[in-house]
Amino acid sequence: MHHADWWRDAVIYQVYIRSFADADGDGLGDIAGLRSKLDHLVSLGIDAIWINPWYPSPMADAGYDVSDYRAIEPRFGTLGDAETLIAEAHERGLRVLLDIVPNHTSDQHVWFQEALAAGPGSAARDRYIFREGRGPNGDQPPNDWRSAFHGSAWTRVTEPDGTPGQWYLHLFASQQPDVNWHHPDVHADFLETLRFWFDRGADGFRIDVAHSLVKEDGLPDMAERNWARLPFRIQPIPGVHQTDHPHWDRDEVHEIYREWRRVADAYDPPRVFVAEAWVPDPSRTVLYLRADELHTAFNFDFLRCRWLADDLRAVIDDTLREHRSVGATPTWVLSNHDVARHVSRFARPQRTGVRGHHLRDLAAEADLALGLRRARAAAMLMFALPGSCYVYQGDELGLPEVEDLPEESLQDPTWERSGHRDRGRDGCRVPVPWSTATPSFGFGPEHGAEPWLPQPAWFGEFAASEQDGVDGSMLELYRTALGQRRAEAALGEGEMAWVASPEGSLVFTREPGFGCIVNVEAEPVAVPEGWTFVLSSAPLVDGRVAADTTAWFHR
Ligand code: NOJ
C-alpha cells in the first residue's frame, strides 16, 4: 500500500480519551494516560488512533461542546502534551486522527458569548441561528425541530436589557448552539482550525455530525414532511432516515467538504477525513466520498446490522457496490461511544430483542456468553472485509455495555433532557479496566479520584491484565487476527467473492488464496476441500464451523 493511501486499509482505534487512562488521578482520562498506553496499542496491531475531542470544553456533552478549537482542555493536558503524543505515536508508526465539531460550538465559545451580548440583528448573532419566536409574545419556538437529545431544538435567550428575547437553534444540547454555515467567518475559522492541527502533525480528522451543517432555507417545520415510504434496507431511524430532511444530509453540505479537501490535499502527505454521517442509505453516504470530498465515512449500516446472515450479506453487498461507484474504500465499525456495545446488542435474540443501537433499544434479557461469542465472530468478519475498520476502546477486551449505572452517576445530557426516560450513552463510556491492581482497575493511579463514571465490580474480569497472554481471550484474538490481517496479502483493500453456502451462513474468498466462513445461525458448515485452517473465533467442531463462529483459511 502506498504510504499516502494508508487509510484505505487501516485499522483505526478509537480513543475516548476521558475514559481511556487517567495519569494525573483526577478521575478523567488524559493525554499522559494515553501516552502511557501507546505500547498496548502497538501490540494490538492497529495502524492509527482517532481521539475524541480534547479541546477546552465545559463538558455539557463530554467534550462535543467545544469552547476553543485550537487549544487543549487543561484536564487533559497542554498543547505541548498533545504535540508530544502525536510525535510519540508517529515514532511507533501510528497515525493520529483528531475530532472536529463543526455543527455547533459550546455556549461558552467567545462567539456565542459575543452573540448574546450584542443582541438581535447584530453581526455576532448572525454566526449562529437566532430567530424570533412564534406566537403573540414570541414565546413559542420558531419551528418544530427536535433536539437529538430530546426536547425542542430551540432555547430562548434573555436579551442584554433583561427581556425575554430571541431563540437559538441547537440540534443537540442547549449548551451546543448550531453555527450558521452561510456565514463566511464560520468557513474561514474552521479552515484555520484544520490547518492549526495539520501543522502540528495531525494526520486527519473525524468530522462530527458531518451531515448536519447546512439547514434548509426558511427552516421549515418538520411536520410538513411526509415521513412515509422509506425505501431503505436497514430499519430507518425515525426522523433521521428521511430524504429531503430540513437539517440532515442536505445537498449543499458537500460544498463545505470540497473546501476542506483542498486544505487537506495541500499537505504532504495529504491529510484525511472520516465523516460521521448518519444518512438513510449507502447511496447517500458515498456522496460524501466523491473524489474531491472526504476520504472515508463510518459505515453505520454495518454497525446497526443485526447478527443475521441475510442482513449482513445485504449490508456488505450494498456497501461494496455503492463505494465502488465513487472509487471510495469502505469502512466497517461495530461500536463507538454513542451506541450500546455490540457484545450486549449481540447478547439478545436478533429478530426480536434488539430494536436499534441504543441501550433503550435492548429489550430482551442478555445472554452475555452468546454476545461475546458473536462479538468474536463479528470482529473476524469485519477484519476480513475489503477496506478499513474501526475498533472502539474496550472492544478488544470484549467489554459489555454497563446497563445499570446508578442514576445519580449518569452524565449524558440525554438523561436530563428526556425527563429521565432515556439513560443515554454513558454505559458504553465507562473507564477502561486495565488491571486488577488499583481500585479503578488500573484506569487511574493507586490513590486517584473515583473515575468520572463508576466501574462495576465485574469490570475486573475484563481487565487487560486478565487477558494478556491468555489463550482464547478476546485481547489475544484481536492481536492474532490483526497480525494475520496485516500478514495476508488478500486482506485490507480489494475485492471479495461470495461462495454458495448453507442458509444462515456466509462464505467468501479474497485473492490471493484466502477464504472466510461465517456461520451466523446455520448447522455446522463444512470446510471446502483444499482449504487449510488459519484462525477461528471459536474452535471448529469435528472440522466444521459451528454457529456464531468465523474462521479464516488459506486455499
Ligand atoms: C456525535 C458524537 O459522536 C456524539 O457523541 C455527540 O453527542 C454528537 N455528535 C453531538 O456533537
Side-chain angles (χ1 to χ4, degrees):
M1 180 72 37
H2 182 255
H3 182 71
D5 283 346
W6 64 272
W7 47 274
R8 295 190 77 95
D9 58 9
V11 177
I12 300 166
Y13 184 97
Q14 178 187 351
V15 176
Y16 192 65
I17 186 164
R18 58 192 291 122
S19 300
F20 192 64
D22 171 21
D24 65 6
D26 67 350
L28 202 66
D30 44 43
I31 297 176
L34 170 53
R35 286 175 54 201
S36 75
K37 300 294 183 194
L38 284 177
D39 290 327
H40 167 82
L41 297 179
V42 169
S43 86
L44 253 186
I46 54 138
D47 303 295
I49 56 177
W50 148 40
I51 306 170
N52 288 94
W54 59 2
Y55 318 108
S57 166
M59 304 286 172
D61 182 23
Y64 282 96
D65 47 323
V66 179
S67 51
D68 180 353
Y69 289 80
R70 299 192 281 271
I72 292 288
E73 163 64 37
R75 282 171 286 177
F76 292 149
T78 64
L79 190 55
D81 294 337
E83 289 174 316
T84 308
L85 177 266
I86 294 172
E88 288 176 348
H90 285 170
E91 279 162 22
R92 289 166 172 77
L94 299 178
R95 297 201 166 68
V96 180
L97 303 183
L98 304 180
D99 201 325
I100 193 163
V101 188
N103 179 69
H104 43 264
T105 68
S106 161
D107 61 352
Q108 301 306 311
H109 191 283
V110 56
W111 275 3
F112 194 72
Q113 290 299 314
E114 275 173 29
L116 288 180
S122 60
R125 284 223 171 159
D126 198 29
R127 294 195 189 112
Y128 291 89
I129 304 178
F130 279 87
R131 293 291 184 277
E132 299 300 328
R134 292 202 279 211
N137 305 316
D139 56 6
Q140 298 299 313
N143 71 18
D144 66 356
W145 295 3
R146 309 289 296 166
S147 152
F149 299 155
H150 302 274
S152 171
W154 295 90
T155 291
R156 194 173 197 185
V157 303
T158 303
E159 298 301 354
D161 66 5
T163 56
Q166 290 191 307
W167 298 69
Y168 66 89
L169 178 71
H170 52 87
L171 294 182
F172 295 90
S174 58
Q175 299 91 333
Q176 294 168 295
D178 282 46
V179 295
N180 171 18
W181 272 93
H182 293 300
H183 199 297
D185 286 0
V186 172
H187 285 254
D189 199 70
F190 276 97
L191 294 180
E192 196 174 326
T193 295
L194 293 178
R195 290 195 190 94
F196 179 89
W197 292 106
F198 290 160
D199 288 344
R200 280 161 184 76
D203 297 284
F205 275 102
R206 176 256 190 195
I207 305 173
D208 189 60
V209 272
H211 58 309
S212 63
L213 276 44
V214 179
K215 281 75 183 177
E216 186 173 344
D217 283 345
L219 312 181
D221 275 335
M222 213 73 83
E224 290 168 19
R225 293 302 211 273
N226 175 7
W227 296 100
R229 292 195 315 273
L230 294 172
F232 311 124
R233 171 126 35 204
I234 293 285
Q235 182 61 28
I237 307 174
V240 173
H241 284 168
Q242 170 70 17
T243 51
D244 196 22
H245 191 287
H247 64 69
W248 300 130
D249 193 32
R250 306 229 24 107
D251 289 335
E252 303 87 326
V253 79
H254 295 284
E255 203 41 58
I256 297 168
Y257 299 127
R258 295 195 183 98
E259 192 174 71
W260 287 23
R261 179 65 179 254
R262 288 193 289 273
V263 173
D265 279 350
Y267 282 81
D268 181 24
R271 308 307 202 239
V272 302
F273 295 111
V274 55
E276 187 221 15
W278 295 83
V279 300
D281 190 82
S283 65
R284 297 293 304 179
T285 306
V286 300
L287 296 180
Y288 292 79
L289 306 182
R290 290 172 288 193
D292 58 348
E293 295 194 39
L294 306 176
H295 305 72
T296 54
F298 295 113
N299 184 346
F300 291 130
D301 289 348
F302 185 69
L303 179 150
R304 298 185 69 237
C305 191
R306 294 174 297 179
W307 184 247
L308 296 173
D310 290 349
D311 291 21
L312 286 164
R313 185 175 173 134
V315 166
I316 293 167
D317 280 342
D318 289 355
T319 300
L320 295 179
R321 184 191 62 248
E322 293 300 335
H323 282 72
R324 212 177 283 129
S325 75
V326 295
T329 196
T331 71
W332 310 94
V333 56
L334 289 164
S335 277
N336 64 33
H337 65 293
D338 291 328
V339 306
R341 284 188 177 271
H342 60 272
V343 167
S344 298
R345 302 197 313 268
F346 293 153
R348 268 69 189 196
Q350 295 296 286
R351 283 191 182 76
T352 53
V354 193
R355 290 191 303 271
H357 55 276
H358 288 121
L359 174 58
R360 61 173 185 259
D361 301 320
L362 305 183
E365 183 117 354
D367 176 347
L368 279 185
L370 180 62
L372 277 165
R373 182 177 167 100
R374 288 177 174 164
R376 295 170 66 89
M380 279 188 63
L381 162 62
M382 173 166 96
F383 296 151
L385 291 170
S388 74
C389 311
Y390 280 82
V391 172
Y392 176 43
Q393 67 183 40
D395 287 357
E396 81 278 24
L397 303 178
L399 278 188
E401 182 81 0
V402 181
E403 301 189 26
D404 57 354
L405 281 169
E407 290 186 355
E408 62 280 6
S409 67
L410 296 177
Q411 312 236 356
D412 184 344
T414 299
W415 172 242
E416 289 301 330
R417 291 188 61 89
S418 68
H420 297 184
R421 286 189 320 276
D422 183 347
R423 297 171 67 88
R425 303 160 292 174
D426 290 324
C428 65
R429 300 174 172 181
V430 176
V432 168
W434 290 101
S435 73
T436 46
T438 71
S440 61
F441 298 118
F443 169 67
E446 180 75 48
H447 299 293
E450 298 274 317
W452 71 280
L453 284 174
Q455 299 158 304
W458 51 262
F459 243 38
E461 289 164 38
F462 291 86
S465 62
E466 303 307 291
Q467 303 195 37
D468 192 18
V470 175
D471 221 23
S473 69
M474 188 71 91
L475 180 57
E476 292 304 331
L477 178 74
Y478 267 67
R479 286 181 176 149
T480 311
L482 289 175
Q484 191 64 32
R485 183 181 185 274
R486 220 176 242 182
E488 289 287 340
L491 296 188
E493 249 225 307
E495 295 294 327
M496 59 178 274
W498 294 114
V499 175
S501 70
E503 202 177 318
S505 69
L506 304 171
V507 180
F508 59 91
T509 57
R510 303 199 55 191
E511 300 306 334
F514 181 86
C516 181
I517 300 180
V518 187
N519 186 344
V520 181
E521 52 171 347
E523 293 300 310
V525 175
V527 177
E529 204 153 321
W531 288 26
T532 57
F533 179 80
V534 175
L535 181 69
S536 63
S537 65
L540 301 196
V541 178
D542 298 331
R544 291 167 183 251
V545 181
D548 301 308
T549 306
T550 296
W552 292 355
F553 300 87
H554 286 149
R555 41 175 271 281

